[in-house]
Amino acid sequence: MRPPNPLLRTEIDDLLSDHSYSGLHYRHNRLVDYLPHVIPHLKSAAARNYHNVPPPICVQVQVTSACTTQCVMCDHWSEQRKNIGCDAWTSIFRDLASFGVRSLVFSGGEPTSRSDLPSLLTAARQAGHRLGMYTNGTMSGHTHGQRAEVLSAIRDNVDWVSISIDGLPGDDGTIRGTRSNPRIELLREFTAKLDRMGVHLAATVTLQQVNSKSDLQSVSNFIRDEIGIPNVTFKFVTGSVAALEMRPAFLLDEKAIESLLRQIREISSSKLKNTNLDYIRECLSRGVFSSTGIAAGEPVKSLYADRHLRCFTPFLFSLIDVDGEVFPCCHLYRDNHGLDALTLKFRERHSMGNVLRAGFAEVWNGDRYAMERQNLELIDPAKPDFTPCGECTRHCQHNLALSKISTQLAGKLDMIRDELPTIQQDGVPIWF
C-alpha cells in the first residue's frame, strides 16, 4: 500500500465532486462507486490493449423480442423473432459468470412476457449474478397464479426494477396502445407486492410529443402516490433523424421542448423529491444536452462534437440480443428501432459475434470488438456508422468522467485506487 498522496487525493476529489450529480445510487453507477472497479479497463484503453480487456462490469440480456404494449417510439412489439430457450440462456449465464461478469440487466421486449422468466431469473442468480430489470410492469395475458410466480421470482432474485410509465393514464395509454384502467390496476398489483418485498423500484418516463404538455409534478405525484413507485426518472425520447433517415412523429417539436425545459428549470427541487430533475437541469446548464439535439432525437450529439470524448462503453458494458448476437451498447444495437432497413444495417455492422457459436470471452476479446474499441477512441456521430452515438444519454456521463480522468491522470492510474475511499472491490454490484 502506497502512503497517502495529498495532491493526487485533491485531484480525485475534484473529479468526483464535478460528477457527483450523475448516476443512480441503487445501481451503484455514480463515479465514486465504480471508479475503483474500472482502473484495469482504463489501463487497457490507455495502452490500446484491445484484445485483452478485463470482463465487462455489466451485461444487458435481451431475453425476448416480444412485448405486451405497442409503444409509438419502439418497434419491439411488431418483431417476431425466436427466443433462445431457458437451457441455452442458463449456459450463457454460467459462461458470463466464469469469465468474471457479475451484474446483468434483464430486458426485452418485455421480459415478463416469457412464461419461463422465473426459471431464467433463478438460473442467472444461481450462476452468481446480481440482477436488475427493465419492464413495463403490466404482465397482461398472465393468470393471477402466473403473476404471483413472476413476482416471487423477482423478489428472490432481482435487486432493482425500472418500470416504464409514460405519464398520466391518458397519455400512457395513448403512447402504449393500451386501455389505461386495466394497465394501471396491473401496475398497482405489480408495485405493491414488490415494494413489500424490498425490491428497489423506479419509474422511467420518456418525454415525447404525446406527453409533452404534462405537468411534471402531477406525473410524479401520480406515479408515487397512485402507482406506488417512489423514484421517478425522466428522459427525453431519442431516435436520431440521421440514423432513421426520417423524422419520427414521436420526437418533440421546438414549442414542446421549450415548455418542458421551462418547467424543468423553474420547478422547485423540494416539490419533486426522488426525481432526476436536478440532474437534467445540470445536463442542460453544462451543455451535456442541447435543445436542438433533443429536437433531432440526439440530445448529446453536440456534446460529442464539441468535447472530443472517447467511448469507454466497449470496455465496460455489453448487450446480448435475443438470438445470441453481442453488441457494444443499446444505441448501436438500435434497441427501439428494429425493423427499418437502416437499423438492420446498423445491427449487422455492430454485431461483435454470437455467444451461441463462441464463448463470451472469445467474442469480448475478438477482432470485431478490438476494431470497435479503436473506432470509438473518438466519438463522432457525424460518421455514418456512428450516428446513433448522438442519442446516448445512458453512457454519456461515464464517457465525460472517464475521458477527463484518462486525460488528466493518465500516468497515475496505478495510484488512484489506493487514494479512493475503502470500497469492497468484489462485493458491490454495478449496473451501467
Side-chain angles (χ1 to χ4, degrees), residues 172-229:
D172 182 76
T174 299
I175 290 169
R176 297 186 170 274
T178 60
R179 290 186 299 122
S180 59
N181 287 341
R183 171 162 154 79
I184 299 305
E185 291 168 5
L186 290 170
L187 283 172
R188 285 178 178 140
E189 177 192 16
F190 188 87
T191 59
K193 291 187 176 181
L194 288 184
D195 185 54
R196 289 198 299 269
M197 295 171 180
V199 178
H200 185 98
L201 300 178
T204 299
V205 180
T206 301
L207 297 172
Q208 54 196 282
Q209 194 61 34
V210 170
N211 61 10
S212 61
K213 296 181 180 179
S214 298
D215 177 81
L216 301 184
Q217 185 172 349
S218 297
V219 171
S220 298
N221 291 345
F222 171 76
I223 291 173
R224 184 186 65 242
D225 300 334
E226 299 297 325
I227 303 297
I229 302 176

Side-chain angles (χ1 to χ4, degrees), residues 26-336:
Y26 62 92
R27 298 192 199 181
H28 306 300
N29 63 6
R30 297 168 300 183
L31 183 60
V32 68
D33 293 325
Y34 72 78
L35 183 55
H37 300 261
V38 302
I39 298 301
H41 303 79
L42 296 183
K43 291 173 66 177
S44 290
R48 304 188 77 192
N49 180 12
Y50 298 156
H51 282 92
N52 189 26
V53 178
I57 300 295
C58 171
V59 173
Q60 183 169 332
V61 290
Q62 309 265 88
V63 295
T64 181
S65 62
C67 197
T68 54
T69 59
Q70 299 182 10
C71 298
V72 298
M73 66 287 193
C74 180
D75 292 331
H76 272 306
W77 59 271
S78 56
E79 292 190 43
Q80 299 292 327
R81 299 166 65 195
K82 186 177 180 180
N83 297 325
I84 296 175
C86 186
D87 289 344
W89 272 119
T90 298
S91 295
I92 293 170
F93 299 150
R94 291 171 178 167
D95 179 42
L96 290 168
S98 68
F99 184 46
V101 176
R102 292 292 176 263
S103 300
L104 301 183
V105 179
F106 271 61
S107 67
E110 172 47 47
T112 64
S113 69
R114 283 193 67 136
S115 60
D116 59 354
L117 180 65
S119 297
L120 287 173
L121 294 175
T122 301
R125 195 70 183 92
Q126 289 178 345
H129 300 289
R130 297 288 290 274
L131 309 180
M133 179 186 292
Y134 295 134
T135 177
N136 63 40
T138 304
M139 292 195 294
S140 58
H142 285 36
T143 65
H144 179 75
Q146 288 171 328
R147 291 199 298 272
E149 185 180 3
V150 168
L151 290 169
S152 293
I154 294 173
R155 173 201 64 197
D156 293 340
N157 299 290
V158 179
D159 289 83
W160 58 266
V161 177
S162 180
I163 304 166
S164 52
I165 305 173
D166 290 318
L168 298 174
D171 287 342
D172 182 76
T174 299
I175 290 169
R176 297 186 170 274
T178 60
R179 290 186 299 122
S180 59
N181 287 341
R183 171 162 154 79
I184 299 305
E185 291 168 5
L186 290 170
L187 283 172
R188 285 178 178 140
E189 177 192 16
F190 188 87
T191 59
K193 291 187 176 181
L194 288 184
D195 185 54
R196 289 198 299 269
M197 295 171 180
V199 178
H200 185 98
L201 300 178
T204 299
V205 180
T206 301
L207 297 172
Q208 54 196 282
Q209 194 61 34
V210 170
N211 61 10
S212 61
K213 296 181 180 179
S214 298
D215 177 81
L216 301 184
Q217 185 172 349
S218 297
V219 171
S220 298
N221 291 345
F222 171 76
I223 291 173
R224 184 186 65 242
D225 300 334
E226 299 297 325
I227 303 297
I229 302 176
N231 301 286
V232 182
T233 298
F234 293 95
K235 58 178 283 191
F236 295 109
V237 71
T238 60
S240 166
V241 174
L244 294 172
E245 294 188 331
M246 57 172 286
R247 179 177 177 81
F250 55 74
L251 288 184
L252 293 155
D253 61 33
E254 292 183 7
K255 183 178 180 181
I257 292 170
E258 182 55 38
S259 176
L260 285 169
L261 295 187
R262 190 182 306 115
Q263 277 198 74
I264 291 169
R265 291 188 180 107
E266 295 177 357
I267 197 164
S268 168
S269 298
S270 62
K271 293 182 179 179
L272 283 179
K273 293 180 180 179
N274 298 325
T275 76
N276 70 330
L277 268 277
D278 283 339
Y279 167 76
I280 292 180
R281 271 194 286 262
E282 288 281 355
C283 287
L284 291 165
S285 66
R286 296 179 183 225
V288 179
F289 302 160
S290 72
S291 57
T292 55
I294 294 168
E298 44 193 8
V300 296
K301 182 178 181 179
S302 61
L303 169 75
Y304 288 139
D306 297 340
R307 307 274 184 103
H308 307 293
L309 303 176
R310 181 178 204 156
C311 187
F312 290 89
T313 306
F315 294 87
L316 304 174
F317 175 89
S318 195
L319 182 149
I320 302 176
D321 191 15
V322 65
D323 55 8
E325 292 292 312
V326 179
F327 295 86
C329 66
C330 50
H331 285 291
L332 292 178
Y333 166 65
R334 308 302 290 136
D335 191 4
N336 292 335

Side-chain angles (χ1 to χ4, degrees), residues 329-349:
C329 66
C330 50
H331 285 291
L332 292 178
Y333 166 65
R334 308 302 290 136
D335 191 4
N336 292 335
H337 315 289
L339 294 178
D340 62 282
L342 188 56
T343 287
L344 295 177
K345 288 182 180 179
F346 275 115
R347 288 187 179 177
E348 181 179 359
R349 161 66 183 81

